Amino acid sequence: MQKRILVTGGAGFVGCHLCERLVAQGHQVIAVDNYYTGRRENLTALLGLPNFEALRHDVTFPLYLEVDEIYNLACPASPVHYQRDPVQTTKTSVLGAINMLGMAKRLGIPILQASTSEIYGDPDVHPQVEDYRGLVSISGPRACYDEGKRCAETLFYDYKRRHGVEIRVARIFNTYGPRMNLEDGRVVSNFIVQALRNEPITLYGDGRQTRAFCFVDDLVEGLMRLMNVTQPLDSAVNLGNPVETSMAEIADLIISLTGSRSPIVFRPLPQDDPRQRCPDISKAQELLHWRPKVSLQDGLKRTISYFEGVLSRMQDPVRRVEVARANS
Ligand SMILES: NC(=O)c1ccc[n+]([C@@H]2O[C@H](COP(=O)([O-])OP(=O)(O)OC[C@H]3O[C@@H](n4cnc5c(N)ncnc54)[C@H](O)[C@@H]3O)[C@@H](O)[C@H]2O)c1
């Protein structure tokens, strides 16, 4: 059945992939975005299609549309961007959630919240299960994002309890893939761009801190399955790849896949940077019959080839890598 689907943050990294999948399924999709970190180029394949519409709007302000489902993704996701204007980050999470939940309540439709593993903070339980309450700093530089997302989740549960809104809350762990923003400082894009430019790869701390990296196509599949769950849900579901990788391992893998000659340099660990992150996805497996399928190696190859294209369009010294490869 064709649905009218609203995706907030639709011009962002995850949002544009989600919009593409929904449009390909024949749905009528509206991407709402204020282009804070998102880009119109992310929507190039969709703009002009009869079942797609892009609307410039800031979710901290009310919005009135007639739709059948809402995916609420609007919020900068990388520390560089969410720390640039921390007050706006919290407003986006909290006021954005209130405005979108208000719409879902008025229309009696399901709404999915893109929450985050950041709500677990620097966890002392490992791997992280959904009922773990987290170890989050209320005052540190990441708090605008972590606490904003926590408050947004609380609003979701209260709208469900008080107003019967059909909610889905996805706790997303590190996701990577084509169309990540070149300059947002996330580990995979940083390392790939540094490697392609033969520049030093910066490892924070001793490089032993871990993350679990999920390829964007797998995440989008998980989000869509979660939206389509038929039984009532009143708690969050982790979505991520349960394969833990250290920063040093991923740097080595990217160097080898790009054939780069980048040296590795060490820098102090940023404040409140979590030491370990890995999802327990038993709930997603049971409820959604979902687990990531794309291996880190394959996902990285696809992401590297995307960034090679971006850098060569920018006439970037990426060519140095090609020369280095040719000479090796
Ligand atoms: N990518 C990840 O690894 C990851 C991990 C955990 C959670 N998430 C969550 O998934 C969602 C999407 O993340 P992403 O990686 O695509 O980030 P992104 O920064 O690429 O996309 C976020 C989008 O939201 C838009 N936006 C920001 N503030 C807005 C506002 N006030 N009004 C309207 N639009 C606004 C941005 O312009 C951008 O297009 C976010 O909510 C993020 O917190 C992502």
Side-chain angles (χ1 to χ4, degrees):
M1 186 189 72
Q2 193 204 45
K3 293 182 217 158
R4 293 161 302 172
I5 302 178
L6 168 60
V7 179
T8 76
F13 160 54
V14 176
C16 66
H17 287 275
L18 175 62
C19 287
E20 278 178 18
R21 281 287 300 278
L22 294 170
V23 164
Q25 289 187 344
H27 299 297
Q28 193 76 37
V29 176
I30 305 176
V32 161
D33 207 294
N34 69 350
Y35 300 102
Y36 179 64
T37 51
R39 290 163 298 159
R40 273 174 66 83
E41 305 98 89
N42 284 345
L43 302 173
T44 309
L46 297 174
L47 291 168
L49 293 182
N51 58 333
F52 180 76
E53 202 178 331
L55 179 67
R56 184 184 289 267
H57 174 81
D58 185 322
V59 295
T60 62
F61 296 97
L63 179 66
Y64 296 92
L65 293 171
E66 302 300 317
V67 290
D68 304 307
E69 271 176 9
I70 305 171
Y71 288 85
N72 187 36
L73 271 59
C75 185
S78 82
V80 172
H81 288 135
Y82 71 64
Q83 289 173 13
R84 193 196 294 153
D85 188 348
V87 174
Q88 176 64 15
T89 297
T90 306
K91 277 186 178 174
T92 293
S93 278
V94 176
L95 297 177
I98 291 171
N99 288 326
M100 292 309 128
L101 283 161
M103 192 190 303
K105 177 184 161 204
R106 175 175 66 85
L107 298 170
I109 57 168
I111 176 167
L112 180 146
Q113 167 68 356
S115 190
T116 169
S117 56
E118 294 283 334
I119 70 128
Y120 299 124
D122 188 2
D124 47 12
V125 163
H126 198 74
Q128 290 81 56
V129 278
E130 287 87 349
D131 56 9
Y132 172 57
R133 293 184 178 185
L135 185 63
V136 180
S137 159
I138 199 171
S139 58
R142 302 172 83 102
C144 59
Y145 182 73
D146 303 4
E147 297 290 13
K149 288 283 189 181
R150 288 171 70 95
C151 183
E153 277 204 26
T154 304
L155 285 160
F156 269 69
Y157 306 132
D158 283 337
Y159 267 76
K160 154 111 183 132
R161 277 192 291 261
R162 295 301 295 259
H163 304 298
V165 173
E166 252 187 84
I167 59 158
R168 289 93 171 86
V169 177
R171 290 208 185 124
I172 302 170
F173 284 66
N174 285 56
T175 302
Y176 71 99
R179 282 179 264 164
M180 294 179 88
N181 192 318
L182 188 75
E183 278 152 3
D184 72 5
R186 285 193 248 192
V187 60
V188 171
S189 47
N190 254 9
F191 285 2
I192 291 177
V193 172
Q194 288 167 335
L196 288 173
R197 289 174 169 161
N198 278 331
E199 287 170 357
I201 291 192
T202 35
L203 267 187
Y204 294 99
D206 58 9
R208 280 188 295 177
Q209 68 275 30
T210 64
R211 297 289 184 276
F213 296 97
C214 183
F215 190 66
V216 65
D217 291 359
D218 282 328
L219 173 69
V220 165
E221 177 66 29
L223 292 174
M224 290 167 60
R225 286 190 190 204
L226 182 57
M227 177 60 98
N228 293 323
V229 153
T230 46
Q231 63 263 53
L233 287 178
D234 52 13
S235 58
V237 178
N238 285 340
L239 292 180
N241 191 342
V243 179
E244 207 173 341
T245 313
S246 75
M247 296 297 163
E249 279 169 329
I250 192 152
D252 287 342
L253 186 53
I254 288 173
I255 287 174
S256 115
L257 290 174
T258 52
S260 171
R261 296 195 176 144
S262 293
I264 292 182
V265 294
F266 291 88
R267 296 272 181 275
L269 204 58
Q271 190 187 336
D272 295 338
D273 199 58
R275 286 155 298 166
Q276 243 185 335
R277 256 312 153 56
C278 186
D280 180 319
I281 60 162
S282 320
K283 191 168 170 183
Q285 282 181 281
E286 198 176 315
L287 189 70
L288 315 175
H289 308 290
W290 173 89
R291 64 172 296 125
K293 290 191 178 135
V294 180
S295 70
L296 186 57
Q297 181 121 347
D298 288 348
L300 284 177
K301 280 186 192 161
R302 284 154 73 174
T303 313
I304 288 167
S305 109
Y306 165 76
F307 279 112
E308 276 174 334
V310 172
L311 294 182
S312 68
R313 280 195 295 281
M314 289 165 61
Q315 307 252 303
D316 191 88
V318 67
R319 292 210 182 103
R320 280 187 301 190
V321 172
E322 286 158 6
V323 173
R325 270 191 202 144
N327 292 340
S328 61

